[in-house]
């Protein structure tokens, strides 16, 4: 029976549906198979967002800034695909479109590896060339972090130029329309905080007529999506430990995207294989502890709310649907 979920031939693995089936069978047999991988291709960023735990003005990071090499990127994607993975998020603590080889990397993921791709960006590098690559590659979804409606508020929060970001989004929308393409799904995101809270109703109203989805996110108080008393439901094991591999540009595997400083280092994927680390003693110990209701170690998980989510309320407005949880409020166009 075990042979059913061992890696099959490369030709067989090129079909995402088969890889997804492998993952389901593996889980039935008790093996943790990843669905997605968040792969940090660079941790460099040209914005200094107030709420960012890595690049924010009051956040001193000890991690060196760097870029993942294309050869290493390809190797990790091959390993991920062989494990049954289907969805790639090529981002981490930085702005992915600052990577000099971002176009080639997107092409490798979609054309060579048959992976679905989705990522977030601050939107400051949406050139015509980049947009052409996004559309040519068949990127499934792209999110733009736009943390204000007013240009002055935006600059105060991010240090960026709102007009430049909006121009790039409008260009992507126009090019997608010209090609009569449905994808990528285009969303905008705003992190609710004191500086922008009064702008949010108008922000949602303005953007939902232009993009496919608008997301209002809860502010992360510290490492981990800590909501404190706002989270009422009973805690459950975090699916990040089961569903998603997190690798930083220098090869360090960590337990999740909330670990900005590599304090939960599982090992280095340039020294051990992706599979060895994902199914190794450190990750398995974390999974087993959470199944038994033990939320730390690692310490970063103790008060984190990233395990939560799920739709708590749904409102149908006719032309759009709003869903909400303690972590996010989401408006989707029908």
């Amino acid at each position: 029976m075990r042979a059913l979920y061992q890696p099959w031939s490369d030709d067989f693995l090129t079909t995402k549906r088969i890889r997804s089936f492998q993952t389901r069978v593996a889980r039935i047999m008790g093996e943790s198979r990843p669905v997605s991988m968040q792969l940090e291709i660079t941790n460099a960023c040209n914005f200094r967002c107030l709420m960012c735990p890595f690049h924010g003005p009051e956040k001193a990071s000890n991690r060196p800034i760097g870029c993942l090499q294309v050869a290493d990127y390809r190797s990790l994607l091959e390993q991920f695909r062989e494990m049954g993975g289907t969805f790639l998020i090529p981002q981490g603590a930085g702005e992915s479109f600052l990577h000099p080889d971002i176009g080639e990397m997107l092409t490798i993921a979609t054309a060579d590896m048959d992976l679905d791709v989705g990522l977030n960006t601050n939107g400051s590098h949406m050139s015509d060339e980049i947009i052409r690559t996004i559309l040519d590659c068949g990127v499934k979804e792209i999110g733009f972090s736009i943390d204000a409606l007013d240009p002055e508020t935006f600059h105060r929060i991010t240090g960026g130029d709102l007009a430049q970001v909006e121009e790039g989004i409008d260009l992507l929308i126009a090019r997608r329309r010209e090609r009569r393409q449905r994808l990528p799904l285009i969303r905008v995101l705003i992190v609710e905080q004191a500086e922008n809270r009064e702008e949010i109703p108008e922000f949602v109203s303005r953007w939902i007529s232009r993009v496919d989805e608008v997301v209002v996110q809860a502010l992360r108080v510290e490492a981990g999506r800590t909501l404190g008393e706002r989270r009422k439901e009973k805690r459950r094991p975090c699916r990040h430990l089961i569903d998603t591999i997190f690798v930083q540009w220098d090869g360090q595997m960590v337990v999740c995207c909330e670990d900005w400083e590599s304090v939960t280092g599982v090992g280095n994927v340039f020294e051990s294989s992706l599979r060895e680390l994902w199914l190794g003693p450190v990750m398995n110990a974390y999974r087993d502890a959470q199944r038994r209701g033990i939320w730390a170690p690692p310490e970063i998980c103790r008060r984190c709310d990233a395990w939560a989510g799920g739709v708590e309320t749904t409102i149908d407005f006719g032309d759009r649907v709003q869903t909400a949880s303690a972590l996010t409020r989401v408006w989707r166009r029908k």
Side-chain angles (χ1 to χ4, degrees):
M1 186 68 174
R2 186 173 178 81
L4 284 175
Y5 59 96
Q6 291 300 303
W8 293 326
S9 71
D10 285 343
D11 289 341
F12 203 54
L13 285 168
T14 56
T15 305
K16 285 191 285 286
R17 185 176 297 175
I18 294 298
R19 299 204 305 275
S20 296
F21 174 74
Q22 280 185 283
T23 297
R24 291 195 296 272
V25 173
R27 288 182 175 175
I28 292 172
M29 301 301 293
E31 180 179 320
S32 296
R33 279 291 186 92
V35 174
S36 59
M37 177 166 65
Q38 183 165 335
L39 180 57
E40 180 183 75
I41 61 175
T42 182
N43 60 346
C45 189
N46 57 324
F47 279 14
R48 294 295 178 265
C49 299
L50 295 177
M51 64 288 186
C52 179
F54 192 83
H55 293 286
E58 298 181 4
K59 314 297 191 300
S61 173
N62 294 319
R63 274 216 291 145
I65 303 296
C67 292
L68 181 66
Q69 298 300 305
V70 172
D72 294 327
Y73 171 85
R74 180 183 289 275
S75 173
L76 290 171
L77 264 55
E78 288 173 346
Q79 294 177 59
F80 173 59
R81 191 183 70 162
E82 289 172 359
M83 294 170 69
T86 58
F87 194 84
L88 176 70
I89 310 161
Q91 71 178 70
E95 169 53 49
S96 295
F97 288 98
L98 288 177
H99 197 294
D101 300 311
I102 180 63
E104 181 182 359
M105 287 175 149
L106 292 177
T107 301
I108 289 171
T110 57
D112 296 355
M113 301 294 171
D114 192 31
L115 296 172
D116 291 335
V117 173
L119 73 164
N120 289 338
T121 173
N122 63 31
S124 62
H125 284 71
M126 286 294 106
S127 66
D128 220 344
E129 180 182 359
I130 286 293
I131 288 172
R132 193 161 50 248
T133 299
I134 290 169
L135 294 172
D136 288 347
C137 288
V139 170
K140 294 295 184 183
E141 54 188 69
I142 184 167
F144 294 87
S145 296
I146 307 177
D147 289 297
L149 187 66
D150 177 73
E152 292 185 6
T153 305
F154 180 83
H155 183 74
R156 189 164 60 250
I157 292 175
T158 70
D161 181 350
L162 181 58
Q164 178 191 24
V165 173
E166 290 195 0
E167 182 180 341
I169 297 173
D170 288 339
L171 184 59
L172 174 60
I173 293 170
R175 293 289 183 265
R176 185 183 70 168
R177 184 185 302 117
E178 288 170 5
R179 293 187 180 208
R180 299 183 179 181
Q181 289 185 209
R182 185 176 59 87
L183 298 175
L185 179 145
I186 302 171
R187 68 167 60 90
V188 297
L189 308 95
I190 183 170
V191 177
E192 184 175 3
Q193 51 200 289
E195 289 81 359
N196 63 17
R197 187 164 291 120
E198 292 184 358
E199 298 182 8
I200 287 179
E202 187 179 350
F203 178 95
V204 173
S205 179
R206 180 181 296 186
W207 279 106
I208 195 58
S209 64
R210 297 161 67 183
V211 299
D212 304 304
E213 190 172 282
V214 178
V215 180
V216 179
Q217 298 175 306
L219 179 65
R220 288 179 286 181
V221 178
E222 56 190 54
R225 300 175 190 253
T226 302
L227 297 172
E229 295 304 314
R230 286 180 287 169
R231 168 57 60 192
K232 300 298 183 183
E233 69 184 271
K234 183 179 179 181
R235 184 158 184 175
R236 59 182 180 270
C238 183
R239 294 207 61 82
H240 286 323
L241 295 172
I242 302 170
D243 285 345
T244 308
I245 298 174
F246 298 89
V247 179
Q248 296 170 344
W249 74 269
D250 58 358
Q252 289 296 322
M253 182 186 289
V254 294
V255 296
C256 93
C257 60
E258 302 296 339
D259 185 4
W260 300 87
E261 291 298 326
S262 297
V263 297
T264 64
V266 177
N268 195 293
V269 296
F270 302 147
E271 299 170 0
S272 303
S273 72
L274 210 58
R275 176 184 290 274
E276 288 171 339
L277 294 180
W278 178 252
L279 297 177
V282 176
M283 288 297 295
N284 282 336
Y286 290 157
R287 295 182 187 110
D288 182 63
Q290 293 221 354
R291 291 188 188 102
R292 293 182 288 118
I294 301 171
W295 312 120
E299 190 60 31
I300 195 173
C301 297
R302 186 182 299 279
R303 297 184 64 242
C304 180
D305 277 321
W307 57 270
V311 175
E312 296 176 356
T313 60
T314 301
I315 304 175
D316 192 329
F317 292 98
D319 61 337
R320 71 192 72 168
V321 175
Q322 178 194 341
T323 58
S325 70
L327 290 175
T328 60
R329 286 174 286 158
V330 181
W331 286 261
R332 295 184 179 91
R333 290 168 61 185
K334 287 187 175 179

